[in-house]
Amino acid sequence: MPASRRGSGSFTLTTGQTIAIHTRTQDEEDLPHATKKTMADHLRKYESLFTLTPQRMRMIVEAFTETLELGLNKPNQIVPMIPTYVFGWPTGQEKGDFLALDLGGTNLRVCLVTLQGEGKFEISQTKYRLTEEQKQEDGQKLFDFCAECLNTFVETNTGEGAGQLKPGQSLPLGFTFSYPCSQERIDHGELIRWTKGFGAGNTEGRDVAEMFKRSLEKYQLPIKLTALINDTTGTLIASHYVNPKTKIAVIFGTGCNAAYMEHVKDIPKIEHLGIDAGAEMAINCEWGAFDSFEHEHLPRTKYDTIVDDTSNKPGEQAFEKLISGRYLGEILRLVLCELIDEGVLFLGQNTYKLEKPYCFDTAFLSLMESDPTDELLMVIGIFTHFFALETTLAERQFFRALAKLIGRRAARLSACGIAAIVSKMGYLEEGCSVGADGSLYNKYPGFADRVHEGLQDIFGDKGRNIVTHHAEDGSGVGSAIIVAMTKHRKDAGLYLMFDHTIAYIRGVYGSLCVHVLCYLLCP
């Protein structure tokens, strides 16, 4: 067991070993603990650090809105505002059987979705575990594994019974690939960079749709890759399919993101494609990168700076590092470590277990906030079981209050992101629903209420017009609906491949001909 560096004092031997000196003596029966007044004094300091005023929130919303506009105007911006080539909303009457493949951070999920119309659907699915080796080895091998799992799923679910695939039945497939890609059409996507711990080689900068198609050919599957989508875009479409008032989708989980439907005329960076200006297209914001590198707008504390500096991508994903489930527990842990260093907490106790980065899971904050007991027994359990530390009631009350501050800041910053899209699109007066998904939104106590509170602090009473609700399954159902919409466009002759063909027509016949052609082919 390594010696703890914590204590009321320490000195270093000539051998280099550090010895901690604690105020506790062997004759004392109780460990020294911070008093209730001491903890209250410290809490006031952290309240000032982690509290967002309505005025500050409005300033963030203004800067956020400008950043969204910049991403629509110019390519390769920090918040990229990626065009998805998902045109318009579902009608709610989409029907048929569709396959969906979801390559997540932990699992690969294969779904058979039956759309029944009128916003109804049935789904059957199987999950396949991804190993760390598969995430890091050659990219083509990763897609071969995806095709192998798809083949297994098809074989298992083929038969004559209800809800089964018919032998030899050919089905369109939606591939939910939730990693930043640049797209020129809906069945194409060049991987910009891996995230979520993936590092498969020979993949970045390549068309992952084409790589996956090659894997499908190896297994001679009667499946056609019809759409490559992001899970947030799928969440937007699935939520609107069930609730047509939904105009924005957000993910608040291990990461964070948003998607919404934009007017093509307001996306200047794709003007050269000649798409009908009257059309609408879903935009995948990738807004976790807001305020990255420059750090001009978000209220970062020194704990946030440490999280950023010690991350695998310093300077990047600044917004995500303040609000996502991956980082909230680490922010709280850093505060506790500072108080231990200052001799405020856990004197005379070995704190080495708490010194390991990311050992304090965000789920612990959720549990602490939801502890219903007077003695905060849940908090006792967390510190005793996971860190072998004894706590007083005053300390436990402080821990819970600190968790509330960090969780509330995350929710209020999340509200700023939603408010930026609402402001940009002019949704405030008429109101709209926001489909929300992710572990923070679904499991963290009070998160949704704090988002709504934040929206009202930003917009006043009109903020009540913006309501979040639990989103539908974007990576499964949403993917299937997008495939259905895309198939309908192709069958109706509305599908247009905006690639070298457009460039050729413009070069030979001029831009006017391109606009006329797009007017005829695009809705």
Side-chain angles (χ1 to χ4, degrees):
M1 179 182 296
S4 171
R5 63 182 175 88
R6 312 298 182 183
S8 55
S10 65
F11 64 92
T12 304
L13 300 177
T14 55
T15 60
Q17 182 182 7
T18 300
I19 304 297
I21 307 171
H22 302 291
T23 56
R24 181 190 180 205
T25 68
Q26 291 183 344
D27 297 326
E28 291 174 326
E29 294 183 359
D30 298 318
L31 296 172
H33 289 281
T35 64
K36 186 173 183 179
K37 181 181 184 305
T38 301
M39 300 319 301
D41 290 342
H42 282 284
L43 183 61
R44 280 192 290 274
K45 178 179 78 172
Y46 294 114
E47 283 175 345
S48 65
L49 286 175
F50 288 104
T51 297
L52 270 176
T53 65
Q55 181 181 8
R56 183 64 186 273
M57 294 173 74
R58 294 186 196 106
M59 292 171 63
I60 292 170
V61 171
E62 183 178 351
F64 214 134
T65 306
E66 292 174 358
T67 300
L68 300 182
E69 294 278 11
L70 185 62
L72 292 172
N73 277 291
K74 300 178 180 179
N76 305 317
Q77 298 302 301
I78 290 176
V79 176
M81 303 295 282
I82 300 171
T84 65
Y85 301 92
V86 175
F87 290 97
W89 298 108
T91 63
Q93 299 307 311
E94 288 79 6
K95 295 180 180 180
D97 294 328
F98 304 92
L99 286 169
L101 183 73
D102 176 20
L103 182 63
T106 306
N107 299 305
L108 176 73
R109 185 168 64 123
V110 183
C111 308
L112 173 61
V113 181
T114 300
L115 300 177
Q116 301 169 323
E118 298 181 357
K120 299 177 182 178
F121 60 86
E122 289 183 354
I123 182 171
S124 58
Q125 59 185 346
T126 302
K127 290 183 179 180
Y128 304 89
R129 188 77 175 180
L130 288 166
T131 66
E132 288 303 315
E133 290 75 17
Q134 287 171 323
K135 295 180 185 181
Q136 306 303 327
E137 63 185 4
D138 183 75
Q140 194 63 59
K141 287 185 178 180
L142 175 63
F143 293 121
D144 286 349
F145 173 73
C146 293
E148 181 184 350
C149 293
L150 188 58
N151 184 52
T152 302
F153 180 86
V154 169
E155 290 178 349
T156 304
N157 289 274
T158 296
E160 298 297 334
Q164 288 188 300
L165 296 170
K166 303 299 182 288
Q169 181 180 359
S170 178
L171 284 179
L173 169 75
F175 187 8
T176 302
F177 188 78
S178 298
Y179 306 89
C181 288
S182 60
Q183 289 185 273
E184 294 179 354
R185 56 184 186 271
I186 199 167
D187 59 354
H188 157 92
E190 289 186 7
L191 178 62
I192 298 172
R193 63 183 178 276
W194 282 115
T195 57
K196 303 178 186 177
F198 275 79
N202 302 314
T203 314
E204 292 183 350
R206 297 180 63 185
D207 184 353
V208 293
E210 284 301 319
M211 294 178 71
F212 182 57
K213 286 176 184 177
R214 283 198 290 272
S215 296
L216 289 177
E217 290 171 0
K218 288 182 182 180
Y219 288 89
Q220 298 182 326
L221 289 166
I223 291 168
K224 181 174 177 56
L225 175 59
T226 305
L228 184 75
I229 70 162
N230 178 276
D231 60 346
T232 316
T233 307
T235 298
L236 174 69
I237 297 301
S239 297
H240 189 275
Y241 181 76
V242 174
N243 176 7
K245 293 183 179 179
T246 303
K247 296 181 179 179
I248 302 170
V250 290
I251 305 292
F252 299 125
T254 305
C256 67
N257 198 12
Y260 72 103
M261 196 67 68
E262 182 60 88
H263 306 294
V264 168
K265 65 180 177 60
D266 294 326
I267 316 175
K269 68 180 178 182
I270 62 170
E271 184 179 4
H272 65 283
L273 296 178
I275 305 173
D276 175 24
E280 290 185 307
M281 184 192 294
I283 295 292
N284 166 28
C285 298
E286 294 292 348
W287 73 4
F290 170 62
D291 202 34
S292 292
F293 304 111
E294 298 298 329
H295 306 303
E296 295 177 329
H297 307 295
L298 294 173
R300 298 205 312 166
T301 66
K302 59 182 176 181
Y303 316 105
D304 301 308
T305 302
I306 293 171
V307 166
D308 184 27
D309 290 344
T310 57
S311 70
N312 63 335
K313 293 186 177 180
E316 299 183 32
Q317 299 299 102
F319 187 54
E320 180 176 295
K321 287 170 182 172
L322 297 186
I323 70 173
S324 86
R326 173 166 173 77
Y327 301 103
L328 300 189
E330 177 65 3
I331 294 169
L332 187 141
R333 187 194 72 86
L334 290 170
V335 174
L336 298 186
C337 286
E338 178 182 71
L339 292 173
I340 293 168
D341 280 337
E342 293 175 356
V344 177
L345 291 175
F346 308 130
L347 294 176
Q349 300 189 66
N350 200 324
T351 57
Y352 77 95
K353 289 186 175 181
L354 198 56
E355 295 170 20
K356 181 181 178 182
Y358 292 93
C359 66
F360 207 93
D361 198 281
T362 297
F364 294 161
L365 278 68
S366 178
L367 290 170
M368 288 194 292
E369 282 214 53
S370 60
D371 192 334
T373 63
D374 293 337
E375 293 296 316
L376 299 180
L377 300 178
M378 191 78 75
V379 183
I380 292 177
I382 291 169
F383 281 89
T384 301
H385 179 76
F386 292 98
F387 306 107
L389 294 171
E390 295 181 22
T391 58
T392 65
L393 179 58
E395 289 168 342
R396 295 192 293 275
Q397 290 171 336
F398 169 79
F399 300 151
R400 183 166 72 169
L402 182 61
K404 183 176 181 180
L405 286 173
I406 294 170
R408 186 168 183 261
R409 184 187 69 160
R412 290 171 72 80
L413 284 171
S414 301
C416 291
I418 295 172
I421 296 177
V422 169
S423 297
K424 189 205 170 303
M425 299 303 294
Y427 290 151
L428 185 59
E429 294 295 333
E430 62 180 298
C432 75
S433 290
V434 180
D437 203 359
S439 54
L440 268 184
Y441 184 85
N442 293 330
K443 298 179 180 178
Y444 199 102
F447 191 88
D449 291 338
R450 291 167 182 168
V451 169
H452 293 149
E453 175 193 79
L455 288 169
Q456 290 175 46
D457 280 347
I458 294 167
F459 292 126
D461 286 342
K462 290 182 179 178
R464 299 177 188 273
N465 295 343
I466 312 302
V467 180
T468 68
H469 65 273
H470 289 285
E472 296 299 324
D473 171 20
S475 56
V477 177
S479 179
I481 297 168
I482 290 172
V483 170
M485 293 167 63
T486 304
K487 184 175 182 298
H488 174 74
R489 285 174 56 82
K490 287 184 177 181
D491 292 346
L494 299 174
Y495 182 72
L496 187 62
M497 295 176 64
F498 299 106
D499 52 11
H500 300 295
T501 304
I502 290 296
Y504 175 78
I505 293 173
R506 176 179 287 107
V508 176
Y509 299 106
S511 296
L512 178 61
C513 184
V514 170
H515 286 290
V516 171
L517 178 63
C518 291
Y519 178 79
L520 294 172
L521 293 180
C522 294

